[in-house]
Amino acid sequence: DLSATIGNETFHHPFVNAAGVCDETAQEMQSVLDSAAGGLTTKSATLAPRAGNPQPRYFDTDLGSINSMGLPNQGLAYYLDFIANSTTAKPIDLSVTGTKPADQVAALQQIQASDFTGLCELNLSCPNVVGKPQIGYDLDATRAILDQVFAFYEKPLGVKLPPYFDLQQYDAMAAILNQYPLTYINAINSVGNGLVIDPNTETVVIKPKGGFGGIGGQYIKPVALANVRAFRQRLRPEIKIIGTGGVTTGTDAFELILCGADIVELGTVVMQEGVSAFTRITHELETLMQEKGYQTLADFRGHLKTQ
Ligand code: DHB
């Protein structure tokens, strides 16, 4: 039994696509729902459709990826419509964002007013909109947007966080998050504003922002493990955690769950391998659990040992 629950939703398998991966169009979203994934996350929707940044804006490396997509998406109404017309039994998590906080609040007002009752993920950590800092790195801005949102929003809500790198940042952010009726946090978004270059041509590999972009894949797994562990040690136990960042194998997923993740999202690995990665990684986790004698995720979730 690999099931897990977040809010009112049951995920029969613990793997979901990370927002922004195979989830912009109806066809892509349906391919995730038709795979071994336990659920679907949508591309982070903005109020109006966006074309995103100029190409090339995504690049694969041996150890991961860099991207500066710039929020290309079909607009919030498209994703609400897809969900309303979907017959899937799997949970669909509606990711939402905006290029300024007022737009994020307005998007959540539309979702509150809609018939949608599922999980929603407020993205506080897009690193790729030119001139816009990540809200999750600004404590006052995070508090301000959550105050505004929870003044009216009554459906299950999670937040997607950027990676933190200092123990004091975890203390400060967890103290804020614990004050709100959050259903979950998702840690981590890409490691923002890295740089990948081609030494042969002496050139950056993506066009936007002079080549700076969000790093995903194997490079970032230790950062994801640390963030999930640190937040699990600090958040109220009712706030669940989606673990995301660099998972490429079933063992990686096992490690994130040991740190406290309730379910696990797959990003770069699905970009590189396609939705068959859900099947492979699910089997790898099942095999590892059998070898260790674990029957459910709860048998080891959060049980990381220290020396
Ligand atoms: C984009 C990238 C992100 O890491 C994110 O959280 C949201 C959007 C993007 O560039 O589209």
Side-chain angles (χ1 to χ4, degrees):
D1 175 12
L2 293 186
S3 69
T5 62
I6 295 186
N8 302 321
E9 308 286 347
T10 299
F11 295 79
H12 291 293
H13 284 129
F15 297 107
V16 177
N17 65 301
V21 178
C22 203
D23 60 358
E24 185 186 345
T25 65
Q27 188 186 342
E28 290 174 309
M29 292 189 283
Q30 193 58 46
S31 77
V32 173
L33 290 171
D34 290 342
S35 79
L40 166 71
T41 313
T42 71
K43 174 65 186 174
S44 290
T46 51
L47 284 170
R50 286 173 57 89
N53 289 336
Q55 310 254 14
R57 58 193 185 184
Y58 176 92
F59 185 88
D60 283 315
T61 72
D62 288 345
L63 293 174
S65 64
I66 185 169
N67 87 84
S68 184
M69 304 300 290
L71 291 172
N73 79 96
Q74 307 285 323
L76 177 59
Y78 179 94
Y79 299 99
L80 283 171
D81 197 55
F82 176 84
I83 294 166
N85 290 315
S86 175
T87 56
T88 185
K90 296 179 180 180
I92 301 180
D93 193 337
L94 175 58
S95 176
V96 64
T97 195
T99 59
K100 58 180 195 288
D103 287 354
Q104 303 201 5
V105 173
L108 285 169
Q109 278 164 339
Q110 283 192 18
I111 296 166
Q112 176 63 32
S114 76
D115 291 333
F116 176 74
T117 58
L119 296 172
C120 185
E121 177 166 293
L122 176 62
N123 184 353
L124 299 179
S125 47
C126 176
N128 301 331
V129 178
V130 174
K132 303 289 178 179
Q134 296 171 70
I135 294 178
Y137 285 141
D138 182 332
L139 298 177
D140 292 333
T142 298
R143 219 183 276 107
I145 192 169
L146 293 178
D147 277 343
Q148 285 183 66
V149 165
F150 282 111
F152 68 88
Y153 199 79
E154 294 177 329
K155 299 177 181 182
L157 187 70
V159 286
K160 180 81 172 270
L161 298 174
Y164 300 97
F165 299 96
D166 193 283
L167 299 183
Q168 301 226 351
Q169 292 177 307
Y170 297 124
D171 293 343
M173 188 55 61
I176 292 172
L177 298 172
N178 277 333
Q179 289 169 7
Y180 299 94
L182 282 168
T183 299
Y184 74 89
I185 66 154
N186 186 336
I188 58 176
N189 209 318
S190 49
V191 171
N193 296 297
L195 195 53
V196 173
I197 65 181
D198 179 342
N200 295 315
T201 61
E202 306 174 11
T203 310
V204 299
V205 299
I206 58 174
K207 182 177 177 94
K209 293 177 66 174
F212 287 79
I215 305 295
Q218 292 176 63
Y219 300 109
I220 74 167
K221 186 185 75 171
V223 180
L225 293 173
N227 274 260
V228 169
R229 171 71 165 172
F231 277 115
R232 188 66 289 159
Q233 291 174 312
R234 288 167 174 78
L235 291 177
R236 290 186 286 109
E238 306 81 60
I239 301 179
K240 302 248 171 151
I241 300 184
I242 299 179
T244 307
V247 172
T248 309
T249 67
T251 301
D252 296 334
F254 179 81
E255 292 176 6
L256 265 182
I257 296 167
L258 263 187
C259 289
D262 287 280
I263 64 170
V264 171
E265 289 185 349
L266 306 181
T268 297
V269 72
V270 172
M271 290 293 293
Q272 296 183 345
E273 216 173 294
V275 295
S276 65
F278 290 109
T279 312
R280 176 179 64 77
I281 294 172
T282 301
H283 284 150
E284 289 172 357
L285 177 61
E286 268 168 343
T287 302
L288 182 61
M289 285 172 60
Q290 264 159 25
E291 285 166 10
K292 288 175 171 281
Y294 293 133
Q295 260 122 52
T296 70
L297 304 180
D299 289 347
F300 60 94
R301 178 181 291 122
H303 292 185
L304 181 65
K305 296 174 209 159
T306 54
Q307 293 185 343

